[in-house]
Amino acid sequence: MARKRSSKTTLIFFVLFSVIAFVAFFPVFASLPSLSSHSHDLHLHLRRHQGREKVNQIDVRKFEIAEDMFWKDGKPFQLIGGDLHYFRVLPEYWEDRLLRAKALGLNTIQTYIPWNLHEPEPGKLVFEGIADLLSFLTLCQKLSLLVMLRAGPYICAEWDLGGFPAWLLAIEPDVRLRSSDPAYLRMVEGWWGILLPKVAPLLYGNGGPIIMVQIENEFGSYGDDKAYLSYLMKLAREHLGEDIILYTTDGGSREALEKGTIRGDDVFSAVDFTTGDDPWPIFKLQKEFNSPGKSPALSSEFYTGWLTHWGEKMARTDADFTAAALEKILSQNGSVVLYMAHGGTNFGFYNGANTGANESDYKPDLTSYDYDAPITESGDVDNAKFKAIRRVVEKYGSVSLPSVPFNNKKTGYGSFQLTKTAFLFDLLDGIDSAQIVEAENPTAMEYLYQMFGFLLYVSQYASKTGGSKLFIPKVHDRAQVFISCSPKANGGQVLYVGTIERWSNQAIDLPNAKCVSNTSLFILVENMGRVNYGPYMFDRKGILSSVYVDGRVLKGWKMISIPFNNLNKVPKFNSVIQVSSEFPKLSAHKKLEHNSEDVLEGPSFYTGHFSIGKTSEVADTYISLRGWRKGIAFVNEFNVGRYWPISGPQCNLYIPAPILRHGENVLVIFELESPNSELVVDSVDQPDFMCGSRKSSVHQL
């Protein structure tokens, strides 16, 4: 994903194009005198083409650049690709989505590789399930799709920490990400030493689909460290050889290209820029940073839509505007990669975030990564954007396009009742003492080797007759504050006193709980997704400063990890999901006292069941969380992501059919505040991005 758009307006998106080109291979000819006649120019071109054909009779399988064109197996090739990320689509749907991409007219798939998905803990490697990269690449080849592989180590992608594993943030002294810091380079060397040998057999020259590999992503917008870029290039060459085309991508400005590129033939320098801009002057600038003849026009991130943060309008771009911008490139024999062709879903806790003017101006991304792409989050293609883009591709492409498939079936399974099965504080006694860490000061989540989910901080303070004031200078990202007269919240009445948010951090009042001894303080902190772009990417989570009560630093803390299961990892605390789904129904809803007129249920688990008959087709669905406030949802123990309808715009969570099963299906909701008043969830057959105070709008970039 490219640079984030300006925060000055939500009506204008800065959408970036990038130009990718390939390292050339062509016969070397004796120097010829300068020729002016057309016949002599034509004769020279024919000699070069004949020389290329002779080379390819010996080495038929080759993807290269010469004369500012792509050449595939000795023939000119117009690359028409699209981003489709395997980690945002269930493996059961990979082939379905790839076939829809082919029906759009694509001949190439571009995908990132998120390091954190494949190595969630140091040395623990995951290449199965949704992380089965090699199966995805093999499937692309089966369907005759080429691949542009964005190997990281940094990917951006609106993905937690830009794809870096969060355990890098636990290393001391601090590792300087995306730099020539030796500690960081050692980590990269270890990771690429595992990853790159796995993909090497699938390079195009080895018989596979991979035609090029990206080694950095918009580094020119982040730093200026040529030693770092050179290291990545040398490391990639060591594992992948000299023939594969390596590339970087940077913004289409001279400053970004100066900082983010490696001059010469070793790494191709690509550019990106705003959709709707005249691409050809930027392609001309890009040529200055590549060797002569090595810059075919290619936008490697042609934006079909844009990302959306919680609390914003749903990003929409006009179909005809997008198609017209695409035609400006294809009509002059340029090549393009759509970002995104199909967006998919940020399942689990892997959504990223952006920042504005400072690190407190925090903007987490939605669970949905629909992106207003031509192939929607659920795979639908019967829409104006898909049709408009396909028309342009069909007009300028060299091959006939496959027929367009029908939309996949989606079903609403109706309304079903949930029951409150557990209050979070009632489950704390069941937590293994090994998961409770004691320290004088609050500890960041990463230092506890917890990378996602929630962290509960517990301490005590002396109450004052007139109440107290709580101030936490630095919380990442959202903290709910509770007090009790008992050090074990389940042993006494719990009082909710307020919420501290990273983006609007203010001191809150602690009322006098009239405890016989000290008052217990409970602070539940949610990690809402790490920053994936910009100068504030080193984004640890939890309480990152001292905690002040009446101006004095509060000492003596217990930290209790509540990570839940993520996309590629089931932690020890997953028993919470099992317990909450099996817990006996509470006889009455346990409500927290609150020092305002609002009534808060507090962080609680709610469980519901719905059945799919054996004779019925198991189909995609959505669960509508309208009336609920904020939390996460699990279907059959699969973490389908976060919901926050009061902030919006996303109301419904996409539930792909492969998560479901015939017979009984179990939904568990961890609601942080208050549930739907009727404890009802609706299963519906369509998305809904109209929640919150803002509504969707359609506009041009």
Side-chain angles (χ1 to χ4, degrees):
M1 173 56 208
R3 298 170 312 239
K4 63 185 175 64
R5 68 187 180 200
S6 169
S7 60
K8 293 181 180 179
T9 174
T10 59
L11 297 178
I12 299 178
F13 299 126
F14 290 94
V15 179
L16 308 170
F17 282 67
S18 40
V19 176
I20 297 177
F22 300 85
V23 177
F25 175 88
F26 57 91
V28 178
F29 296 94
S31 60
L32 298 174
S34 176
L35 302 174
S36 58
S37 71
H38 174 73
S39 61
H40 281 153
D41 289 340
L42 179 60
H43 178 66
L44 176 58
H45 177 79
L46 288 174
R47 283 187 61 190
R48 287 177 175 171
H49 185 65
Q50 289 166 359
R52 180 179 305 283
E53 287 181 333
K54 289 178 182 179
V55 169
N56 282 281
Q57 288 173 3
I58 301 171
D59 183 13
V60 174
R61 191 171 179 84
K62 193 171 186 67
F63 197 94
E64 56 184 330
I65 296 172
E67 303 170 39
D68 287 336
M69 290 189 292
F70 296 114
W71 295 80
K72 179 176 174 286
D73 303 334
K75 298 179 181 179
F77 182 79
Q78 186 179 34
L79 194 155
I80 303 175
D83 264 78
L84 194 160
H85 303 155
Y86 62 96
F87 47 90
R88 285 182 162 126
V89 181
L90 294 188
E92 295 88 341
Y93 275 164
W94 284 346
E95 184 164 1
D96 174 85
R97 301 305 194 259
L98 290 172
L99 287 172
R100 292 169 189 274
K102 287 199 72 171
L104 186 59
L106 308 188
N107 55 36
T108 303
I109 296 297
Q110 182 168 252
T111 187
Y112 289 115
I113 300 176
W115 182 358
N116 54 9
L117 180 73
H118 294 286
E119 194 176 9
E121 299 176 12
K124 179 181 178 180
L125 301 174
V126 180
F127 285 94
E128 302 86 33
I130 203 167
D132 192 349
L133 169 65
L134 299 186
S135 291
F136 178 79
L137 297 175
T138 301
L139 182 57
C140 289
Q141 183 169 24
K142 171 190 169 185
L143 300 177
S144 301
L145 288 162
L146 301 174
V147 174
M148 296 165 61
L149 198 61
R150 314 178 88 172
Y154 166 75
I155 65 170
C156 187
E158 288 73 66
W159 194 255
D160 188 86
L161 199 58
F164 286 124
W167 49 261
L168 290 174
L169 306 184
I171 297 173
E172 293 185 307
D174 291 350
V175 172
R176 288 183 291 113
L177 304 177
R178 304 182 75 188
S179 79
S180 53
D181 175 7
Y184 167 67
L185 296 184
R186 284 195 296 271
M187 297 297 104
V188 173
E189 183 175 358
W191 165 234
W192 271 12
I194 295 165
L195 172 67
L196 298 186
K198 283 182 177 290
V199 302
L202 293 172
L203 299 181
Y204 192 79
N206 294 333
I210 302 171
I211 56 175
M212 58 197 304
V213 176
Q214 179 174 289
I215 61 170
E216 243 291 350
N217 192 48
E218 296 175 328
F219 185 71
S221 300
Y222 178 82
D224 186 5
D225 188 341
K226 299 297 184 184
Y228 167 54
L229 295 177
S230 296
Y231 172 85
L232 294 180
M233 179 268 293
K234 292 175 183 176
L235 185 60
R237 289 283 178 222
E238 177 183 327
H239 291 293
L240 302 178
E242 296 298 322
D243 293 335
I244 186 63
I245 299 160
L246 304 179
Y247 71 105
T248 57
T249 299
D250 286 285
S253 70
R254 186 171 297 278
E255 180 183 4
L257 287 166
E258 290 283 0
K259 292 179 178 180
T261 62
I262 299 176
R263 299 266 188 171
D265 289 346
D266 289 324
V267 180
F268 175 74
S269 302
V271 295
D272 53 34
F273 46 88
T274 303
T275 300
D277 284 355
D278 184 352
W280 297 101
I282 303 175
F283 291 150
K284 182 179 179 181
L285 173 65
Q286 173 252 337
K287 287 185 177 184
E288 295 183 26
F289 294 85
N290 288 294
S291 298
K294 305 295 182 69
S295 290
L298 184 147
S299 169
S300 68
E301 286 193 4
F302 177 90
Y303 287 91
T304 60
W306 198 250
L307 63 101
T308 304
H309 303 119
W310 290 108
E312 295 178 348
K313 297 178 181 179
M314 190 63 187
R316 300 292 186 195
T317 57
D318 181 75
D320 291 336
F321 173 83
T322 303
L326 177 63
E327 189 164 14
K328 289 180 181 179
I329 297 174
L330 297 186
S331 63
Q332 297 187 48
N333 203 36
S335 292
V336 70
V337 180
L338 308 179
Y339 193 102
M340 300 289 296
H342 170 57
T345 309
N346 293 319
F347 293 117
F349 295 124
Y350 275 114
N351 67 276
N354 290 110
T355 52
N358 53 62
E359 65 176 338
S360 296
D361 188 9
Y362 173 76
K363 304 171 184 179
D365 298 319
L366 301 183
T367 297
S368 172
Y369 199 64
D370 178 82
Y371 212 83
D372 197 29
I375 305 170
T376 70
E377 180 180 15
S378 63
D380 285 357
V381 294
D382 186 12
N383 61 74
K385 187 168 288 182
F386 185 95
K387 294 173 183 177
I389 290 175
R390 178 182 157 96
R391 280 195 299 269
V392 173
V393 173
E394 195 167 31
K395 181 177 179 181
Y396 295 102
S398 59
V399 298
S400 59
L401 303 188
S403 59
V404 178
F406 294 109
N407 290 343
N408 288 327
K409 181 180 179 180
K410 287 170 284 295
T411 296
Y413 294 104
S415 300
F416 48 96
Q417 193 78 28
L418 278 71
T419 58
K420 183 175 181 178
T421 48
F423 182 50
L424 175 66
F425 293 107
D426 289 338
L427 299 177
L428 298 183
D429 278 345
I431 293 178
D432 188 340
S433 59
Q435 291 183 252
I436 302 176
V437 177
E438 297 188 18
E440 274 294 286
N441 297 302
T443 303
M445 182 178 285
E446 292 78 8
Y447 289 131
L448 303 179
Y449 269 82
Q450 178 192 337
M451 306 307 156
F452 300 97
F454 300 78
L455 189 57
L456 181 65
Y457 295 83
V458 184
S459 189
Q460 294 184 338
Y461 67 96
S463 299
K464 293 171 59 176
T465 303
S468 298
K469 184 78 73 174
L470 173 70
F471 179 57
I472 310 176
K474 195 170 184 179
V475 174
H476 287 189
D477 299 301
R478 189 174 186 268
Q480 291 173 277
V481 181
F482 309 87
I483 60 174
S484 174
C485 289
S486 169
K488 293 185 177 181
N490 63 335
Q493 186 65 52
V494 179
L495 177 70
Y496 166 71
V497 295
T499 298
I500 298 173
E501 295 169 324
R502 174 174 177 171
W503 52 93
S504 59
N505 192 342
Q506 295 180 345
I508 61 175
D509 293 323
L510 299 176
N512 182 7
K514 300 180 180 179
C515 301
V516 176
S517 57
N518 287 340
T519 300
S520 293
L521 177 67
F522 300 86
I523 305 174
L524 181 64
V525 179
E526 179 185 4
N527 168 359
M528 293 179 61
R530 292 180 182 84
V531 174
N532 59 262
Y533 177 88
Y536 305 112
M537 253 183 50
F538 201 91
D539 188 19
R540 291 191 179 111
K541 297 301 183 181
I543 296 177
L544 306 180
S545 66
S546 295
V547 175
Y548 297 86
V549 175
D550 296 327
R552 295 183 177 180
V553 176
L554 190 61
K555 298 285 187 177
W557 290 88
K558 293 181 180 179
M559 277 73 67
I560 303 173
S561 294
I562 310 175
F564 297 110
N565 54 320
N566 202 5
L567 195 57
N568 59 342
K569 181 181 177 183
V570 180
K572 297 176 183 178
F573 201 72
N574 191 44
S575 57
V576 155
I577 299 301
Q578 297 166 355
V579 170
S580 65
S581 61
E582 297 168 1
F583 215 83
K585 178 179 178 181
L586 300 183
S587 58
H589 298 322
K590 186 172 184 177
K591 292 182 171 59
L592 298 180
E593 293 183 2
H594 191 3
N595 58 346
S596 75
E597 295 180 357
D598 296 332
V599 177
L600 188 80
E601 293 277 349
S604 301
F605 295 89
Y606 300 83
T607 303
H609 303 80
F610 62 99
S611 294
I612 302 176
K614 292 184 178 180
T615 59
S616 300
E617 179 183 355
V618 178
D620 292 357
T621 191
Y622 297 84
I623 54 171
S624 172
L625 280 306
R626 281 186 178 270
W628 297 75
R629 294 180 67 83
K630 191 179 194 308
I632 53 178
F634 304 83
V635 175
N636 296 330
E637 296 192 16
F638 182 89
N639 188 337
V640 295
R642 311 174 198 270
Y643 66 88
W644 197 8
I646 60 170
S647 181
Q650 184 174 358
C651 314
N652 300 352
L653 292 176
Y654 172 53
I655 313 298
I659 295 174
L660 304 174
R661 60 200 177 206
H662 286 110
E664 185 179 72
N665 293 267
V666 181
L667 168 67
V668 175
I669 288 177
F670 179 48
E671 166 62 51
L672 291 168
E673 296 180 352
S674 296
N676 175 297
S677 60
E678 298 178 354
L679 295 186
V680 169
V681 166
D682 294 317
S683 169
V684 298
D685 62 0
Q686 58 188 351
D688 184 355
F689 294 104
M690 300 294 286
C691 277
S693 59
R694 296 174 174 85
K695 306 302 180 184
S696 174
S697 64
V698 178
H699 55 86
Q700 297 179 354
L701 294 174

